[in-house]
């Protein structure tokens, strides 16, 4: 990909716009990032995007910033990573700065309170859409058999939700399991 000024500008403005108009957690912004960089700009393949999201999820820090950093790095190297993170960080910083100026006035405003409750409901719907989309992409991927993927998902959910195990332990366990599987497959291919 030719890394000219327009590419960097498009990356920064896309990240800025996505962050400015998207309300909710990292999962909400993931679907918008996918739509922009996979579907519209075609800078990243869908399978790569799923891998970037998984990496962003398992990395420490804010998922939105992690995803932007990885997408920026994938598309434009280190300058792209910096511009993408700057793009997603500026709108919330400006918003928080403005809100802090008018905090006492806004705190008890019923209209503002109702708007925020409505945004929460919308964010829940977008998160549900992202979860279903990611689930479908993972299940339809040709890597592991479908039953293995479902078993991994169910066991990770059970470990986190029912047994209250740390997410770090769950991620480390499946990371080691994946490395072991990779080594076994590679050893079998070499034999």
């Amino acid at each position: 990909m030719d890394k000219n000024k327009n590419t960097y500008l498009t990356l920064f403005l896309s990240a800025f716009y996505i962050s400015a108009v998207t309300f909710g957690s990292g999962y909400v912004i993931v679907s918008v990032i996918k739509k922009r960089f996979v579907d519209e700009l075609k800078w990243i393949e869908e399978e790569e995007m799923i891998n970037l999201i998984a990496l962003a999820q398992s990395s420490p820090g804010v998922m939105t910033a992690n995803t932007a950093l990885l997408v920026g790095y994938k598309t434009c190297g280190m300058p792209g990573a910096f511009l993408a993170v700057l793009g997603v960080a500026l709108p919330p910083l400006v918003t928080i700065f403005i809100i802090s100026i008018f905090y006492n006035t806004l705190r008890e405003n019923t209209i503002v309170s109702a708007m925020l409750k409505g945004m929460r409901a919308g964010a829940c719907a977008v998160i549900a859409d992202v979860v279903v989309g990611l689930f479908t992409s993972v299940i339809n991927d040709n890597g592991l058999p479908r039953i293995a993927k479902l078993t991994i998902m169910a066991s990770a959910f059970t470990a986190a939700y029912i047994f209250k195990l740390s997410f770090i332990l769950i991620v480390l366990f499946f990371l080691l399991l994946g490395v072991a599987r990779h080594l076994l497959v590679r050893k079998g291919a070499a034999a």
Side-chain angles (χ1 to χ4, degrees):
M1 179 188 316
D2 182 27
K3 308 295 186 296
N4 58 32
K5 288 180 183 178
N6 286 338
T7 305
Y8 292 118
L9 184 63
T10 301
L11 176 64
F12 173 77
L13 291 176
S14 295
F16 186 90
Y17 174 78
I18 287 168
S19 180
V21 301
T22 308
F23 295 94
S25 67
Y27 294 103
V28 173
I29 213 165
V30 163
S31 67
V32 183
I33 289 174
K34 178 201 168 290
K35 182 180 178 199
R36 179 68 177 150
F37 292 102
V38 175
D39 301 336
E40 293 173 7
L41 294 174
K42 300 194 185 317
W43 286 358
I44 301 175
E45 297 294 321
E46 186 166 350
E47 186 175 325
E48 285 178 305
M49 188 67 199
I50 291 170
N51 292 335
L52 292 177
I53 292 166
L55 187 57
Q57 262 184 314
S58 60
S59 300
V62 179
M63 188 173 159
T64 302
N66 290 346
T67 305
L69 180 128
L70 293 169
V71 167
Y73 184 78
K74 173 74 176 117
T75 58
C76 297
M78 286 303 289
F82 174 76
L83 289 171
V85 171
L86 183 65
V88 297
L90 281 177
L93 289 174
V94 170
T95 303
I96 289 171
F97 175 73
I98 292 170
I99 288 173
S100 70
I101 293 171
F102 301 107
Y103 177 72
N104 288 331
T105 306
L106 293 174
R107 181 174 54 171
E108 296 175 9
N109 188 318
T110 55
I111 295 171
V112 172
S113 178
M115 277 183 13
L116 291 174
K117 285 181 183 176
M119 287 180 198
R120 249 188 311 204
C124 288
V126 173
I127 290 171
D129 179 55
V130 170
V131 169
V132 169
L134 287 174
F135 177 81
T136 304
S137 295
V138 168
I139 291 299
N140 292 333
D141 179 46
N142 292 330
L144 285 172
R146 206 173 265 186
I147 189 70
K149 294 175 202 171
L150 291 170
T151 303
I152 290 169
M153 287 181 196
S155 58
F157 175 80
T158 303
Y161 187 72
I162 295 174
F163 295 111
K164 309 287 188 219
L165 289 178
S166 167
F167 289 111
I168 295 170
L169 292 175
I170 297 167
V171 169
L172 287 175
F173 174 77
F174 285 110
L175 176 71
L176 291 174
L177 191 64
V179 168
R181 179 185 179 276
H182 174 74
L183 293 174
L184 288 173
V185 167
R186 198 168 92 187
K187 184 180 176 182

